[in-house]
Amino acid sequence: METKILDFSKENTNVFHADSRENKSYILIDPHGDISFDIKDNAHLKLAIVNKSDNNGTIKGSVGENSELEVYYADFADANNEIKTEINLDGENSSINWHLASLSKFNGKKTYEVSVSHNNLGTRSQIDNYGVCKNEAKLNFSGIVHIKKGSHRSAAHQNAKIIIFDDHTDAIAKPILKIDDNDIEASHASTVGKISDDELFYLTSRGINLEQARELITFGYLKPIVNGFDNEEIASKLVEEVEGGF
């Protein structure tokens, strides 16, 4: 599968389609405004997004039968963002895999709301939001997953974790499940806090200084998002952005 790179300083395409049995992959560099998608039956669409500046918009669309949407959203910019996502799992056995890594710093304000509606049998959602908040910044994650009545054998899982570096940051991780069917599987986990003393002790006892230990643990939160970008140059730049944020 070939990955197409769209640089939004040059491109204006904000609508993405995957027709029946198509397998499409895009890397989007600094898109602005709304993004919409439409995935037909037996198809796959991957969107790997790099945010570089202030951005307010929505990501929304529908996923068809036996189809999958993958989203990797990397946001390490010194910026203010408000991103809302509305995903409808309309087809039987449709799925969404959402992965977000965000760094909010220098009084920045970032808000991400991921909403998923399970509207059919055997639908699946995995939402992973990981962030770091420092320098009096704000970071807000919310995931709202609704499993509709009749969506038997569906599964929904959420993880939301934020590391805070100082007492003046404002960080919220709020996963929400709305369940109207009994024959389902669902879970959510949420953590907001400083790096644990046990983790720091383990690393410093092996000769790593305290600041380096904090950086290593933080990189472990944010760097896995790079695996979603099928381009070595872009992946390397993302790693540099993470490392340059400390």
Side-chain angles (χ1 to χ4, degrees), residues 1 3-4 24-28 44-50 70-74 97 99-101 222-232 234-235 238-239:
M1 176 179 57
T3 297
K4 186 174 182 179
K24 291 187 173 181
S25 177
Y26 297 91
I27 295 178
L28 312 182
H44 176 268
L45 176 64
K46 178 180 176 181
L47 301 176
I49 302 168
V50 180
E70 281 187 274
V71 179
Y72 294 85
Y73 199 109
N97 281 284
H99 307 274
L100 166 69
L222 299 180
K223 278 188 177 180
I225 196 72
V226 173
N227 296 328
F229 291 79
D230 301 321
N231 180 281
E232 288 188 10
I234 292 173
L238 285 174
V239 172

PDB file of all heavy atoms in Angstrom, residues 1 3-4 24-28 44-50 70-74 97 99-101 222-232 234-235 238-239:
ATOM      1  N   MET A   1       0.831  -1.193   0.000  1.00  0.00           N
ATOM      2  CA  MET A   1       0.000   0.000   0.000  1.00  0.00           C
ATOM      3  C   MET A   1       0.868   1.247   0.000  1.00  0.00           C
ATOM      4  O   MET A   1       1.693   1.436   0.889  1.00  0.00           O
ATOM      5  CB  MET A   1      -0.918  -0.006   1.227  1.00  0.00           C
ATOM      6  CG  MET A   1      -1.760   1.247   1.376  1.00  0.00           C
ATOM      7  SD  MET A   1      -2.862   1.195   2.820  1.00  0.00           S
ATOM      8  CE  MET A   1      -1.672   0.938   4.151  1.00  0.00           C
ATOM      9  N   THR A   3       1.669   5.166   0.468  1.00  0.00           N
ATOM     10  CA  THR A   3       1.188   6.266   1.296  1.00  0.00           C
ATOM     11  C   THR A   3       1.385   7.576   0.555  1.00  0.00           C
ATOM     12  O   THR A   3       2.491   7.896   0.120  1.00  0.00           O
ATOM     13  CB  THR A   3       1.935   6.313   2.636  1.00  0.00           C
ATOM     14  OG1 THR A   3       1.675   5.108   3.364  1.00  0.00           O
ATOM     15  CG2 THR A   3       1.469   7.499   3.466  1.00  0.00           C
ATOM     16  N   LYS A   4       0.307   8.328   0.406  1.00  0.00           N
ATOM     17  CA  LYS A   4       0.370   9.623  -0.267  1.00  0.00           C
ATOM     18  C   LYS A   4       0.541  10.721   0.771  1.00  0.00           C
ATOM     19  O   LYS A   4      -0.162  10.750   1.778  1.00  0.00           O
ATOM     20  CB  LYS A   4      -0.904   9.865  -1.071  1.00  0.00           C
ATOM     21  CG  LYS A   4      -0.862  11.135  -1.913  1.00  0.00           C
ATOM     22  CD  LYS A   4      -2.100  11.258  -2.798  1.00  0.00           C
ATOM     23  CE  LYS A   4      -2.007  12.514  -3.674  1.00  0.00           C
ATOM     24  NZ  LYS A   4      -3.195  12.642  -4.550  1.00  0.00           N
ATOM     25  N   LYS A  24      -6.364   2.637   1.359  1.00  0.00           N
ATOM     26  CA  LYS A  24      -5.724   3.921   1.120  1.00  0.00           C
ATOM     27  C   LYS A  24      -5.008   4.416   2.370  1.00  0.00           C
ATOM     28  O   LYS A  24      -5.473   4.197   3.495  1.00  0.00           O
ATOM     29  CB  LYS A  24      -6.752   4.958   0.675  1.00  0.00           C
ATOM     30  CG  LYS A  24      -7.323   4.705  -0.721  1.00  0.00           C
ATOM     31  CD  LYS A  24      -8.207   5.856  -1.158  1.00  0.00           C
ATOM     32  CE  LYS A  24      -8.645   5.718  -2.594  1.00  0.00           C
ATOM     33  NZ  LYS A  24      -9.499   6.857  -3.027  1.00  0.00           N
ATOM     34  N   SER A  25      -3.894   5.115   2.149  1.00  0.00           N
ATOM     35  CA  SER A  25      -3.099   5.633   3.256  1.00  0.00           C
ATOM     36  C   SER A  25      -2.597   7.032   2.910  1.00  0.00           C
ATOM     37  O   SER A  25      -2.056   7.250   1.826  1.00  0.00           O
ATOM     38  CB  SER A  25      -1.917   4.699   3.536  1.00  0.00           C
ATOM     39  OG  SER A  25      -1.103   5.217   4.553  1.00  0.00           O
ATOM     40  N   TYR A  26      -2.771   7.977   3.847  1.00  0.00           N
ATOM     41  CA  TYR A  26      -2.341   9.354   3.640  1.00  0.00           C
ATOM     42  C   TYR A  26      -1.570   9.852   4.863  1.00  0.00           C
ATOM     43  O   TYR A  26      -1.901   9.497   6.005  1.00  0.00           O
ATOM     44  CB  TYR A  26      -3.536  10.291   3.441  1.00  0.00           C
ATOM     45  CG  TYR A  26      -4.376  10.016   2.220  1.00  0.00           C
ATOM     46  CD1 TYR A  26      -5.470   9.154   2.288  1.00  0.00           C
ATOM     47  CD2 TYR A  26      -4.100  10.629   1.002  1.00  0.00           C
ATOM     48  CE1 TYR A  26      -6.251   8.897   1.183  1.00  0.00           C
ATOM     49  CE2 TYR A  26      -4.885  10.389  -0.113  1.00  0.00           C
ATOM     50  CZ  TYR A  26      -5.954   9.518  -0.018  1.00  0.00           C
ATOM     51  OH  TYR A  26      -6.731   9.275  -1.121  1.00  0.00           O
ATOM     52  N   ILE A  27      -0.572  10.707   4.610  1.00  0.00           N
ATOM     53  CA  ILE A  27       0.038  11.515   5.655  1.00  0.00           C
ATOM     54  C   ILE A  27      -0.350  12.959   5.374  1.00  0.00           C
ATOM     55  O   ILE A  27      -0.101  13.478   4.278  1.00  0.00           O
ATOM     56  CB  ILE A  27       1.574  11.364   5.679  1.00  0.00           C
ATOM     57  CG1 ILE A  27       1.962   9.933   6.059  1.00  0.00           C
ATOM     58  CG2 ILE A  27       2.186  12.362   6.662  1.00  0.00           C
ATOM     59  CD1 ILE A  27       3.455   9.689   6.048  1.00  0.00           C
ATOM     60  N   LEU A  28      -0.981  13.602   6.357  1.00  0.00           N
ATOM     61  CA  LEU A  28      -1.462  14.966   6.194  1.00  0.00           C
ATOM     62  C   LEU A  28      -0.589  15.897   7.019  1.00  0.00           C
ATOM     63  O   LEU A  28      -0.502  15.756   8.242  1.00  0.00           O
ATOM     64  CB  LEU A  28      -2.922  15.087   6.648  1.00  0.00           C
ATOM     65  CG  LEU A  28      -3.904  14.022   6.135  1.00  0.00           C
ATOM     66  CD1 LEU A  28      -5.315  14.318   6.636  1.00  0.00           C
ATOM     67  CD2 LEU A  28      -3.875  13.944   4.626  1.00  0.00           C
ATOM     68  N   HIS A  44     -10.306   0.061   3.705  1.00  0.00           N
ATOM     69  CA  HIS A  44      -9.424   0.499   4.792  1.00  0.00           C
ATOM     70  C   HIS A  44      -8.886   1.876   4.443  1.00  0.00           C
ATOM     71  O   HIS A  44      -8.436   2.123   3.324  1.00  0.00           O
ATOM     72  CB  HIS A  44      -8.258  -0.481   4.961  1.00  0.00           C
ATOM     73  CG  HIS A  44      -7.260  -0.060   5.991  1.00  0.00           C
ATOM     74  ND1 HIS A  44      -6.151   0.691   5.683  1.00  0.00           N
ATOM     75  CD2 HIS A  44      -7.201  -0.280   7.335  1.00  0.00           C
ATOM     76  CE1 HIS A  44      -5.453   0.909   6.780  1.00  0.00           C
ATOM     77  NE2 HIS A  44      -6.055   0.334   7.801  1.00  0.00           N
ATOM     78  N   LEU A  45      -8.946   2.793   5.429  1.00  0.00           N
ATOM     79  CA  LEU A  45      -8.407   4.138   5.251  1.00  0.00           C
ATOM     80  C   LEU A  45      -7.541   4.479   6.451  1.00  0.00           C
ATOM     81  O   LEU A  45      -7.962   4.335   7.601  1.00  0.00           O
ATOM     82  CB  LEU A  45      -9.538   5.169   5.127  1.00  0.00           C
ATOM     83  CG  LEU A  45      -9.099   6.639   5.025  1.00  0.00           C
ATOM     84  CD1 LEU A  45      -8.304   6.896   3.747  1.00  0.00           C
ATOM     85  CD2 LEU A  45     -10.322   7.568   5.098  1.00  0.00           C
ATOM     86  N   LYS A  46      -6.314   4.942   6.159  1.00  0.00           N
ATOM     87  CA  LYS A  46      -5.393   5.366   7.213  1.00  0.00           C
ATOM     88  C   LYS A  46      -5.049   6.837   7.018  1.00  0.00           C
ATOM     89  O   LYS A  46      -4.631   7.246   5.935  1.00  0.00           O
ATOM     90  CB  LYS A  46      -4.117   4.523   7.174  1.00  0.00           C
ATOM     91  CG  LYS A  46      -3.075   4.924   8.204  1.00  0.00           C
ATOM     92  CD  LYS A  46      -1.844   4.025   8.091  1.00  0.00           C
ATOM     93  CE  LYS A  46      -0.751   4.458   9.038  1.00  0.00           C
ATOM     94  NZ  LYS A  46       0.453   3.608   8.921  1.00  0.00           N
ATOM     95  N   LEU A  47      -5.234   7.633   8.081  1.00  0.00           N
ATOM     96  CA  LEU A  47      -4.873   9.041   8.077  1.00  0.00           C
ATOM     97  C   LEU A  47      -3.850   9.281   9.182  1.00  0.00           C
ATOM     98  O   LEU A  47      -4.148   9.099  10.369  1.00  0.00           O
ATOM     99  CB  LEU A  47      -6.096   9.921   8.319  1.00  0.00           C
ATOM    100  CG  LEU A  47      -7.265   9.795   7.332  1.00  0.00           C
ATOM    101  CD1 LEU A  47      -8.434  10.668   7.783  1.00  0.00           C
ATOM    102  CD2 LEU A  47      -6.829  10.183   5.923  1.00  0.00           C
ATOM    103  N   ALA A  48      -2.640   9.660   8.806  1.00  0.00           N
ATOM    104  CA  ALA A  48      -1.587  10.013   9.760  1.00  0.00           C
ATOM    105  C   ALA A  48      -1.392  11.524   9.672  1.00  0.00           C
ATOM    106  O   ALA A  48      -1.019  12.042   8.622  1.00  0.00           O
ATOM    107  CB  ALA A  48      -0.293   9.271   9.443  1.00  0.00           C
ATOM    108  N   ILE A  49      -1.684  12.216  10.761  1.00  0.00           N
ATOM    109  CA  ILE A  49      -1.792  13.674  10.740  1.00  0.00           C
ATOM    110  C   ILE A  49      -0.698  14.296  11.599  1.00  0.00           C
ATOM    111  O   ILE A  49      -0.489  13.897  12.745  1.00  0.00           O
ATOM    112  CB  ILE A  49      -3.176  14.120  11.251  1.00  0.00           C
ATOM    113  CG1 ILE A  49      -4.290  13.492  10.387  1.00  0.00           C
ATOM    114  CG2 ILE A  49      -3.302  15.637  11.247  1.00  0.00           C
ATOM    115  CD1 ILE A  49      -5.675  13.636  10.980  1.00  0.00           C
ATOM    116  N   VAL A  50      -0.018  15.295  11.024  1.00  0.00           N
ATOM    117  CA  VAL A  50       0.987  16.075  11.763  1.00  0.00           C
ATOM    118  C   VAL A  50       0.449  17.493  11.916  1.00  0.00           C
ATOM    119  O   VAL A  50       0.205  18.180  10.920  1.00  0.00           O
ATOM    120  CB  VAL A  50       2.337  16.123  11.012  1.00  0.00           C
ATOM    121  CG1 VAL A  50       3.344  16.932  11.817  1.00  0.00           C
ATOM    122  CG2 VAL A  50       2.859  14.729  10.732  1.00  0.00           C
ATOM    123  N   GLU A  70      -8.074   4.024  10.464  1.00  0.00           N
ATOM    124  CA  GLU A  70      -6.947   4.217  11.377  1.00  0.00           C
ATOM    125  C   GLU A  70      -6.573   5.694  11.364  1.00  0.00           C
ATOM    126  O   GLU A  70      -6.415   6.286  10.291  1.00  0.00           O
ATOM    127  CB  GLU A  70      -5.722   3.426  10.919  1.00  0.00           C
ATOM    128  CG  GLU A  70      -5.702   1.968  11.225  1.00  0.00           C
ATOM    129  CD  GLU A  70      -4.348   1.381  10.856  1.00  0.00           C
ATOM    130  OE1 GLU A  70      -4.168   1.016   9.684  1.00  0.00           O
ATOM    131  OE2 GLU A  70      -3.475   1.307  11.733  1.00  0.00           O
ATOM    132  N   VAL A  71      -6.414   6.283  12.550  1.00  0.00           N
ATOM    133  CA  VAL A  71      -5.975   7.665  12.646  1.00  0.00           C
ATOM    134  C   VAL A  71      -4.812   7.754  13.626  1.00  0.00           C
ATOM    135  O   VAL A  71      -4.895   7.252  14.754  1.00  0.00           O
ATOM    136  CB  VAL A  71      -7.104   8.607  13.108  1.00  0.00           C
ATOM    137  CG1 VAL A  71      -6.581  10.045  13.211  1.00  0.00           C
ATOM    138  CG2 VAL A  71      -8.295   8.551  12.153  1.00  0.00           C
ATOM    139  N   TYR A  72      -3.732   8.394  13.181  1.00  0.00           N
ATOM    140  CA  TYR A  72      -2.587   8.706  14.037  1.00  0.00           C
ATOM    141  C   TYR A  72      -2.429  10.226  14.012  1.00  0.00           C
ATOM    142  O   TYR A  72      -2.198  10.810  12.946  1.00  0.00           O
ATOM    143  CB  TYR A  72      -1.315   8.039  13.517  1.00  0.00           C
ATOM    144  CG  TYR A  72      -1.358   6.532  13.591  1.00  0.00           C
ATOM    145  CD1 TYR A  72      -1.942   5.787  12.571  1.00  0.00           C
ATOM    146  CD2 TYR A  72      -0.815   5.850  14.677  1.00  0.00           C
ATOM    147  CE1 TYR A  72      -1.998   4.408  12.633  1.00  0.00           C
ATOM    148  CE2 TYR A  72      -0.865   4.470  14.747  1.00  0.00           C
ATOM    149  CZ  TYR A  72      -1.455   3.756  13.728  1.00  0.00           C
ATOM    150  OH  TYR A  72      -1.512   2.384  13.799  1.00  0.00           O
ATOM    151  N   TYR A  73      -2.569  10.861  15.172  1.00  0.00           N
ATOM    152  CA  TYR A  73      -2.541  12.319  15.243  1.00  0.00           C
ATOM    153  C   TYR A  73      -1.374  12.734  16.143  1.00  0.00           C
ATOM    154  O   TYR A  73      -1.385  12.480  17.349  1.00  0.00           O
ATOM    155  CB  TYR A  73      -3.865  12.838  15.813  1.00  0.00           C
ATOM    156  CG  TYR A  73      -4.146  14.291  15.514  1.00  0.00           C
ATOM    157  CD1 TYR A  73      -5.142  14.655  14.619  1.00  0.00           C
ATOM    158  CD2 TYR A  73      -3.421  15.305  16.129  1.00  0.00           C
ATOM    159  CE1 TYR A  73      -5.409  15.984  14.336  1.00  0.00           C
ATOM    160  CE2 TYR A  73      -3.669  16.630  15.857  1.00  0.00           C
ATOM    161  CZ  TYR A  73      -4.673  16.973  14.966  1.00  0.00           C
ATOM    162  OH  TYR A  73      -4.928  18.295  14.690  1.00  0.00           O
ATOM    163  N   ALA A  74      -0.376  13.380  15.548  1.00  0.00           N
ATOM    164  CA  ALA A  74       0.815  13.838  16.270  1.00  0.00           C
ATOM    165  C   ALA A  74       0.781  15.350  16.371  1.00  0.00           C
ATOM    166  O   ALA A  74       0.773  16.046  15.351  1.00  0.00           O
ATOM    167  CB  ALA A  74       2.081  13.381  15.554  1.00  0.00           C
ATOM    168  N   ASN A  97      -9.527   2.720  14.907  1.00  0.00           N
ATOM    169  CA  ASN A  97      -8.354   2.718  15.774  1.00  0.00           C
ATOM    170  C   ASN A  97      -7.787   4.130  15.767  1.00  0.00           C
ATOM    171  O   ASN A  97      -7.266   4.590  14.743  1.00  0.00           O
ATOM    172  CB  ASN A  97      -7.312   1.713  15.278  1.00  0.00           C
ATOM    173  CG  ASN A  97      -7.657   0.300  15.672  1.00  0.00           C
ATOM    174  OD1 ASN A  97      -7.489  -0.091  16.822  1.00  0.00           O
ATOM    175  ND2 ASN A  97      -8.165  -0.478  14.717  1.00  0.00           N
ATOM    176  N   HIS A  99      -5.258   7.003  17.559  1.00  0.00           N
ATOM    177  CA  HIS A  99      -4.062   7.166  18.385  1.00  0.00           C
ATOM    178  C   HIS A  99      -3.644   8.636  18.351  1.00  0.00           C
ATOM    179  O   HIS A  99      -3.393   9.188  17.274  1.00  0.00           O
ATOM    180  CB  HIS A  99      -2.915   6.298  17.861  1.00  0.00           C
ATOM    181  CG  HIS A  99      -3.284   4.862  17.693  1.00  0.00           C
ATOM    182  ND1 HIS A  99      -3.210   3.942  18.713  1.00  0.00           N
ATOM    183  CD2 HIS A  99      -3.755   4.192  16.610  1.00  0.00           C
ATOM    184  CE1 HIS A  99      -3.610   2.761  18.281  1.00  0.00           C
ATOM    185  NE2 HIS A  99      -3.946   2.888  17.006  1.00  0.00           N
ATOM    186  N   LEU A 100      -3.570   9.259  19.520  1.00  0.00           N
ATOM    187  CA  LEU A 100      -3.186  10.655  19.630  1.00  0.00           C
ATOM    188  C   LEU A 100      -2.005  10.798  20.578  1.00  0.00           C
ATOM    189  O   LEU A 100      -1.979  10.186  21.656  1.00  0.00           O
ATOM    190  CB  LEU A 100      -4.356  11.490  20.162  1.00  0.00           C
ATOM    191  CG  LEU A 100      -4.034  12.902  20.652  1.00  0.00           C
ATOM    192  CD1 LEU A 100      -3.638  13.815  19.493  1.00  0.00           C
ATOM    193  CD2 LEU A 100      -5.224  13.491  21.409  1.00  0.00           C
ATOM    194  N   ALA A 101      -1.017  11.608  20.189  1.00  0.00           N
ATOM    195  CA  ALA A 101       0.075  12.004  21.083  1.00  0.00           C
ATOM    196  C   ALA A 101       0.193  13.518  21.007  1.00  0.00           C
ATOM    197  O   ALA A 101       0.356  14.081  19.919  1.00  0.00           O
ATOM    198  CB  ALA A 101       1.388  11.342  20.681  1.00  0.00           C
ATOM    199  N   LEU A 222       5.157   9.542  24.236  1.00  0.00           N
ATOM    200  CA  LEU A 222       4.848  10.237  22.985  1.00  0.00           C
ATOM    201  C   LEU A 222       5.419   9.580  21.728  1.00  0.00           C
ATOM    202  O   LEU A 222       4.814   9.669  20.659  1.00  0.00           O
ATOM    203  CB  LEU A 222       5.348  11.686  23.069  1.00  0.00           C
ATOM    204  CG  LEU A 222       4.738  12.551  24.175  1.00  0.00           C
ATOM    205  CD1 LEU A 222       5.323  13.953  24.119  1.00  0.00           C
ATOM    206  CD2 LEU A 222       3.221  12.612  24.068  1.00  0.00           C
ATOM    207  N   LYS A 223       6.573   8.956  21.838  1.00  0.00           N
ATOM    208  CA  LYS A 223       7.243   8.452  20.636  1.00  0.00           C
ATOM    209  C   LYS A 223       6.513   7.334  19.888  1.00  0.00           C
ATOM    210  O   LYS A 223       6.653   7.228  18.670  1.00  0.00           O
ATOM    211  CB  LYS A 223       8.664   7.996  20.974  1.00  0.00           C
ATOM    212  CG  LYS A 223       9.658   9.135  21.011  1.00  0.00           C
ATOM    213  CD  LYS A 223      11.079   8.607  21.155  1.00  0.00           C
ATOM    214  CE  LYS A 223      12.097   9.716  21.130  1.00  0.00           C
ATOM    215  NZ  LYS A 223      13.477   9.223  21.272  1.00  0.00           N
ATOM    216  N   PRO A 224       5.733   6.468  20.545  1.00  0.00           N
ATOM    217  CA  PRO A 224       5.072   5.389  19.785  1.00  0.00           C
ATOM    218  C   PRO A 224       4.190   5.874  18.639  1.00  0.00           C
ATOM    219  O   PRO A 224       3.949   5.122  17.688  1.00  0.00           O
ATOM    220  CB  PRO A 224       4.240   4.673  20.857  1.00  0.00           C
ATOM    221  CG  PRO A 224       5.016   4.869  22.111  1.00  0.00           C
ATOM    222  CD  PRO A 224       5.554   6.276  22.001  1.00  0.00           C
ATOM    223  N   ILE A 225       3.712   7.125  18.678  1.00  0.00           N
ATOM    224  CA  ILE A 225       2.876   7.644  17.592  1.00  0.00           C
ATOM    225  C   ILE A 225       3.638   7.624  16.265  1.00  0.00           C
ATOM    226  O   ILE A 225       3.042   7.508  15.185  1.00  0.00           O
ATOM    227  CB  ILE A 225       2.406   9.079  17.911  1.00  0.00           C
ATOM    228  CG1 ILE A 225       1.233   9.482  17.008  1.00  0.00           C
ATOM    229  CG2 ILE A 225       3.537  10.074  17.787  1.00  0.00           C
ATOM    230  CD1 ILE A 225      -0.064   8.809  17.323  1.00  0.00           C
ATOM    231  N   VAL A 226       4.967   7.707  16.338  1.00  0.00           N
ATOM    232  CA  VAL A 226       5.794   7.735  15.132  1.00  0.00           C
ATOM    233  C   VAL A 226       5.603   6.469  14.300  1.00  0.00           C
ATOM    234  O   VAL A 226       5.733   6.486  13.069  1.00  0.00           O
ATOM    235  CB  VAL A 226       7.277   7.924  15.519  1.00  0.00           C
ATOM    236  CG1 VAL A 226       8.189   7.780  14.317  1.00  0.00           C
ATOM    237  CG2 VAL A 226       7.475   9.280  16.181  1.00  0.00           C
ATOM    238  N   ASN A 227       5.276   5.353  14.948  1.00  0.00           N
ATOM    239  CA  ASN A 227       5.098   4.089  14.223  1.00  0.00           C
ATOM    240  C   ASN A 227       3.954   4.143  13.212  1.00  0.00           C
ATOM    241  O   ASN A 227       3.884   3.303  12.310  1.00  0.00           O
ATOM    242  CB  ASN A 227       4.841   2.955  15.217  1.00  0.00           C
ATOM    243  CG  ASN A 227       6.018   2.709  16.137  1.00  0.00           C
ATOM    244  OD1 ASN A 227       7.172   2.900  15.746  1.00  0.00           O
ATOM    245  ND2 ASN A 227       5.744   2.302  17.366  1.00  0.00           N
ATOM    246  N   GLY A 228       3.066   5.122  13.355  1.00  0.00           N
ATOM    247  CA  GLY A 228       1.961   5.236  12.411  1.00  0.00           C
ATOM    248  C   GLY A 228       2.287   6.006  11.150  1.00  0.00           C
ATOM    249  O   GLY A 228       1.427   6.132  10.261  1.00  0.00           O
ATOM    250  N   PHE A 229       3.516   6.518  11.041  1.00  0.00           N
ATOM    251  CA  PHE A 229       3.898   7.344   9.893  1.00  0.00           C
ATOM    252  C   PHE A 229       4.864   6.571   9.000  1.00  0.00           C
ATOM    253  O   PHE A 229       6.008   6.326   9.372  1.00  0.00           O
ATOM    254  CB  PHE A 229       4.511   8.657  10.381  1.00  0.00           C
ATOM    255  CG  PHE A 229       3.514   9.569  11.034  1.00  0.00           C
ATOM    256  CD1 PHE A 229       3.115   9.347  12.346  1.00  0.00           C
ATOM    257  CD2 PHE A 229       2.935  10.611  10.325  1.00  0.00           C
ATOM    258  CE1 PHE A 229       2.176  10.167  12.951  1.00  0.00           C
ATOM    259  CE2 PHE A 229       1.996  11.439  10.921  1.00  0.00           C
ATOM    260  CZ  PHE A 229       1.609  11.210  12.233  1.00  0.00           C
ATOM    261  N   ASP A 230       4.394   6.189   7.834  1.00  0.00           N
ATOM    262  CA  ASP A 230       5.156   5.328   6.921  1.00  0.00           C
ATOM    263  C   ASP A 230       6.077   6.144   6.017  1.00  0.00           C
ATOM    264  O   ASP A 230       6.037   6.021   4.784  1.00  0.00           O
ATOM    265  CB  ASP A 230       4.191   4.487   6.073  1.00  0.00           C
ATOM    266  CG  ASP A 230       3.286   3.622   6.924  1.00  0.00           C
ATOM    267  OD1 ASP A 230       3.774   3.083   7.932  1.00  0.00           O
ATOM    268  OD2 ASP A 230       2.098   3.483   6.584  1.00  0.00           O
ATOM    269  N   ASN A 231       6.879   6.989   6.641  1.00  0.00           N
ATOM    270  CA  ASN A 231       7.835   7.799   5.901  1.00  0.00           C
ATOM    271  C   ASN A 231       8.980   8.130   6.847  1.00  0.00           C
ATOM    272  O   ASN A 231       8.768   8.773   7.885  1.00  0.00           O
ATOM    273  CB  ASN A 231       7.167   9.077   5.376  1.00  0.00           C
ATOM    274  CG  ASN A 231       8.113   9.968   4.605  1.00  0.00           C
ATOM    275  OD1 ASN A 231       8.903  10.703   5.185  1.00  0.00           O
ATOM    276  ND2 ASN A 231       8.032   9.908   3.278  1.00  0.00           N
ATOM    277  N   GLU A 232      10.187   7.693   6.507  1.00  0.00           N
ATOM    278  CA  GLU A 232      11.315   7.839   7.423  1.00  0.00           C
ATOM    279  C   GLU A 232      11.650   9.296   7.727  1.00  0.00           C
ATOM    280  O   GLU A 232      11.947   9.649   8.871  1.00  0.00           O
ATOM    281  CB  GLU A 232      12.551   7.136   6.836  1.00  0.00           C
ATOM    282  CG  GLU A 232      12.467   5.616   6.853  1.00  0.00           C
ATOM    283  CD  GLU A 232      13.772   4.973   6.440  1.00  0.00           C
ATOM    284  OE1 GLU A 232      14.777   5.702   6.338  1.00  0.00           O
ATOM    285  OE2 GLU A 232      13.770   3.747   6.224  1.00  0.00           O
ATOM    286  N   ILE A 234       9.638  11.981   7.681  1.00  0.00           N
ATOM    287  CA  ILE A 234       8.622  12.581   8.543  1.00  0.00           C
ATOM    288  C   ILE A 234       8.711  11.996   9.948  1.00  0.00           C
ATOM    289  O   ILE A 234       8.616  12.720  10.952  1.00  0.00           O
ATOM    290  CB  ILE A 234       7.223  12.365   7.937  1.00  0.00           C
ATOM    291  CG1 ILE A 234       7.090  13.187   6.655  1.00  0.00           C
ATOM    292  CG2 ILE A 234       6.132  12.750   8.937  1.00  0.00           C
ATOM    293  CD1 ILE A 234       5.829  12.926   5.876  1.00  0.00           C
ATOM    294  N   ALA A 235       8.932  10.685  10.048  1.00  0.00           N
ATOM    295  CA  ALA A 235       9.055  10.048  11.358  1.00  0.00           C
ATOM    296  C   ALA A 235      10.239  10.622  12.129  1.00  0.00           C
ATOM    297  O   ALA A 235      10.148  10.892  13.339  1.00  0.00           O
ATOM    298  CB  ALA A 235       9.198   8.536  11.196  1.00  0.00           C
ATOM    299  N   LEU A 238       9.431  14.033  13.509  1.00  0.00           N
ATOM    300  CA  LEU A 238       8.551  13.953  14.668  1.00  0.00           C
ATOM    301  C   LEU A 238       9.347  13.631  15.935  1.00  0.00           C
ATOM    302  O   LEU A 238       9.094  14.190  17.008  1.00  0.00           O
ATOM    303  CB  LEU A 238       7.474  12.890  14.446  1.00  0.00           C
ATOM    304  CG  LEU A 238       6.337  13.267  13.494  1.00  0.00           C
ATOM    305  CD1 LEU A 238       5.428  12.079  13.265  1.00  0.00           C
ATOM    306  CD2 LEU A 238       5.540  14.455  14.039  1.00  0.00           C
ATOM    307  N   VAL A 239      10.295  12.706  15.808  1.00  0.00           N
ATOM    308  CA  VAL A 239      11.149  12.387  16.951  1.00  0.00           C
ATOM    309  C   VAL A 239      11.919  13.631  17.405  1.00  0.00           C
ATOM    310  O   VAL A 239      12.040  13.910  18.609  1.00  0.00           O
ATOM    311  CB  VAL A 239      12.123  11.242  16.602  1.00  0.00           C
ATOM    312  CG1 VAL A 239      13.142  11.050  17.704  1.00  0.00           C
ATOM    313  CG2 VAL A 239      11.351   9.940  16.362  1.00  0.00           C
TER     314      VAL A 239
END
